[in-house]
Amino acid sequence: MYTLLRRILFTLPPETAHRVALAGLDVAAASGLLKALIPPPANLPVKVMGLDFPNPVGLAAGLDKNADHLLGLGALGFGFIEVGTVTPQPQPGNPSPRMFRLPEHHAIINRMGFNNEGLDHLVARVAKRRYAGVLGINVGKNKDTPAEEAESDYRKGIAAVYDYADYITVNVSSPNTPGLRDLQFGDSLRQLLTAIKEEQGIQHQATGRYVPLAVKIAPDMDDEEIRFVANALLEAGIDGVVATNTTISREAVKGHRHAGEAGGLSGDPVREPSLRVIRGLYQVLGDEIPIIGVGGIRDGASAAEKIRAGARLVQVYTGFIYRGPALVRESVEAIRALKAGHQA
């Protein structure tokens, strides 16, 4: 059924298809149709960052930037949903066209540029949500905020969403905000981690509630950079790491008519780079800081291999666009089989 629906949606420009699909999901969820058509996967509970997840397969940030579609997305069997990236002030993002399908590679290139309605809008949406599952909120900085003032934007984001998030992800790895990825390295990273942990402490003291902080990193790092990031996360006491965001490499899609488009490449081409980062992180982190594996999950096998590499949870995005809700159930069952094999 989804194969037919995808064929229709793929006749539309990517952003139009995105809006139509999410609006349709909301209608189908409100009518009860989704429950009848898409039974959720059987529970596979896991405790990560002190949170209880009904299953380890989540939706990555980017699909629902403004938390406008939690009703529909929440009916698809995800173990958790991450919304955003949200910035303190609304921003339109980059000019269109800014999203490109590469179906031959099961991939997408996007240069959306953190297009979102801002913190006030997102907070209003999550404050009255009917979705009862685990909710992550991904925060970023505005494009016109200088890198040296990025800390202020991340503090604002954490403070604004703290009461409503089950966990918060700090995005320092989108390739579509100039200078953002520079925050992943050296003193810039250490200073930012210190600042966000301090803000977490302030909010914890004010609310009496501890909300875990994760950091989302890029796949385009060498082994030394991966070790540096891992050690910096340990030193700062960060609660989780999301590995990884999209890649700026075009090696895997060389020759494709969209290969020259600026932006982040997601889907199959980031599967191996993401695995390399997860393995490198796990060598340093072990079980000290949990890893959320993202990138190139298109079937159960590619979900399970993230867990085998050291991830505790996984997230899907591009694979979900190409495969639909069946990917969630298939991934849960593959991870269940992997865990059963380890216990046997």
Side-chain angles (χ1 to χ4, degrees):
M1 182 177 174
Y2 182 76
T3 302
L4 175 61
L5 179 60
R6 187 189 71 187
R7 195 172 297 138
I8 296 167
L9 288 171
F10 275 28
T11 64
L12 302 171
E15 281 196 73
T16 304
H18 184 92
R19 289 191 294 269
V20 168
L22 289 176
L25 269 180
D26 288 342
V27 171
S31 68
L33 186 62
L34 276 186
K35 279 189 177 179
L37 290 175
I38 308 170
N43 276 2
L44 182 61
V46 57
K47 194 178 190 77
V48 180
M49 298 186 295
L51 302 172
D52 293 312
F53 295 80
N55 72 63
V57 181
L59 178 66
L63 201 74
D64 188 6
K65 286 183 166 64
N66 300 304
D68 287 333
H69 304 284
L70 284 170
L71 180 64
L73 292 168
L76 298 180
F78 290 109
F80 60 108
I81 291 174
E82 189 171 313
V83 296
T85 297
V86 61
T87 55
Q89 299 301 318
Q91 60 183 29
N94 293 319
S96 296
R98 52 192 182 177
M99 184 181 286
F100 307 88
R101 302 186 193 102
L102 292 74
E104 305 92 330
H105 298 281
H106 216 261
I108 289 172
I109 291 173
N110 93 82
R111 52 170 178 267
M112 304 300 288
F114 287 174
N115 58 309
N116 74 101
E117 298 296 329
L119 280 169
D120 289 347
H121 175 96
L122 182 137
V123 166
R125 298 296 291 173
V126 297
K128 58 183 181 182
R129 76 183 191 265
R130 289 162 58 189
Y131 169 68
V134 176
L135 179 67
I137 301 180
N138 186 303
V139 299
K141 81 171 189 73
N142 280 110
K143 182 178 181 178
D144 58 1
T145 300
E148 59 271 19
E149 297 174 23
E151 172 190 318
S152 173
D153 275 13
Y154 287 111
R155 283 181 177 269
K156 287 175 186 173
I158 292 167
V161 307
Y162 198 88
D163 283 342
Y164 308 99
D166 292 305
Y167 72 91
I168 299 169
T169 299
V170 172
N171 188 345
V172 294
S173 52
S174 169
N176 301 318
T177 297
L180 188 75
R181 285 191 169 194
D182 295 340
L183 298 174
Q184 294 178 110
F185 305 111
D187 289 340
S188 295
L189 178 64
R190 287 199 172 97
Q191 289 169 14
L192 179 62
L193 295 181
T194 299
I196 63 174
K197 281 298 291 186
E198 183 178 270
E199 189 62 41
Q200 180 192 41
I202 291 169
Q203 299 303 322
H204 181 199
Q205 187 170 21
T207 64
R209 178 171 169 260
Y210 186 84
V211 177
L213 277 183
V215 174
K216 189 166 188 175
I217 63 173
D220 308 303
M221 287 191 260
D222 61 29
D223 292 346
E224 184 178 346
E225 289 168 337
I226 295 169
R227 285 191 295 272
F228 173 84
V229 169
N231 281 307
L233 296 173
L234 281 170
E235 290 166 14
I238 299 299
D239 303 291
V241 56
V242 183
T244 62
N245 213 316
T246 56
T247 179
I248 56 175
S249 171
R250 295 294 185 268
E251 191 62 34
V253 297
K254 192 181 294 183
H256 191 279
R257 64 193 181 95
H258 291 317
E261 296 289 350
L265 174 66
S266 61
D268 277 10
V270 82
R271 177 177 173 177
E272 286 300 327
S274 167
L275 277 172
R276 185 180 62 82
V277 173
I278 292 168
R279 291 183 183 118
L281 288 171
Y282 191 73
Q283 285 180 359
V284 179
L285 301 177
D287 295 324
E288 289 282 313
I289 296 178
I291 300 166
I292 302 174
V294 198
I297 296 176
R298 66 176 296 182
D299 52 25
S302 47
E305 74 180 355
K306 292 275 197 283
I307 302 294
R308 196 179 299 113
R312 297 283 305 284
L313 302 167
V314 299
Q315 290 178 327
V316 297
Y317 182 98
T318 302
F320 176 69
I321 291 171
Y322 279 95
R323 289 285 316 282
L327 178 61
V328 182
R329 176 186 290 271
E330 186 180 318
S331 297
V332 171
E333 293 311 313
I335 295 169
R336 189 193 312 278
L338 174 67
K339 292 187 173 184
H342 283 171
Q343 292 168 0

